Amino acid sequence: AQSVSQHNHHVILSEAASLELGCNYSYGGTVNLFWYVQYPGQHLQLLLKYFSGDPLVKGIKGFEAEFIKSKFSFNLRKPSVQWSDTAEYFCAVLSRGNYQLIWGAGTKLIIKP
Amino acid sequence: DAGVIQSPRHEVTEMGQEVTLRCKPISGHNSLFWYRQTMMRGLELLIYFNNNVPIDDSGMPEDRFSAKMPNASFSTLKIQPSEPRDSAVYFCASSHPNSQIYEQYFGPGTRLTVT
């Protein structure tokens, strides 16, 4: 069965620190990859997505993610985090031809001011 | 576009009562998803529809839960009878399957509290 692993459930960083959140998936075929963000008390919003082409994807608010097919990974990065980045981040994978997103368990990110 | 609309935003009810959550997907979107989010279990897919037809309801926890999509612009999730363990935030999301990206757009959620 397809699955998505986010290895870090909680991450605490200071402002201006660099961020990398891990995401690995188990599916050998062609995939679409997503990172969603959920700010406290709000709904999930799309941060960035990979469909095809350049494996380095730029998203909103300075986030980026790199698709490494050989590692089945789609890690999220930001060079310098801000207090407002405090949120929960979800990685999701969709296999082509399927309607369902397979979700990771989420990573709660807390940025200390 | 107004985005995915859910109502009510908050619902407090007593155990044993019937609860109906409503969702209006984005116009033109053919797929609709119901999710439940709790601290303990995280984000769970309950059911999804494609062209108003339920495709996979394996995530529906038990017979007390039912979902319908009578037309392309409206869906309901019903819990009868409700129990305290049903307390959660219920999200509705929609997507356009003709888009190869299948990006899902989420509604604001309904926070359900069953006492």
Side-chain angles (χ1 to χ4, degrees), chain A residues 26-96:
Chain A
S26 64
Y27 180 71
T30 305
V31 294
N32 294 348
L33 299 156
F34 304 82
W35 276 98
Y36 280 81
V37 60
Q38 185 177 27
Y39 297 104
Q42 297 189 26
H43 62 284
L44 279 81
Q45 305 169 45
L46 183 70
L47 201 55
L48 49 78
K49 59 194 175 193
Y50 170 80
F51 173 62
S52 65
D54 189 344
L56 184 62
V57 179
K58 304 283 188 185
I60 60 171
K61 303 187 179 184
F63 286 91
E64 65 179 30
E66 185 174 12
F67 170 50
I68 303 179
K69 189 174 182 179
S70 61
K71 295 185 178 180
F72 299 92
S73 70
F74 190 55
N75 292 354
L76 181 70
R77 299 195 295 247
K78 186 170 182 178
S80 176
V81 294
Q82 301 172 305
W83 176 79
S84 57
D85 293 326
T86 294
E88 189 161 12
Y89 293 80
F90 293 89
C91 180
V93 174
L94 183 126
S95 57
R96 298 284 175 85

Side-chain angles (χ1 to χ4, degrees), chain A residues 97-101, chain B residues 30-35 45-60 67 69 93 95 104:
Chain A
N98 198 339
Y99 296 114
Q100 287 192 60
L101 285 177
Chain B
N30 296 42
S31 294
L32 183 139
F33 306 80
W34 281 103
Y35 290 91
L45 176 66
L46 300 177
I47 185 171
Y48 81 92
F49 295 84
N50 188 47
N51 292 323
N52 311 339
V53 176
I55 301 299
D56 184 352
D57 65 355
S58 59
M60 296 286 262
M69 192 164 186
S95 71
Q104 291 185 16

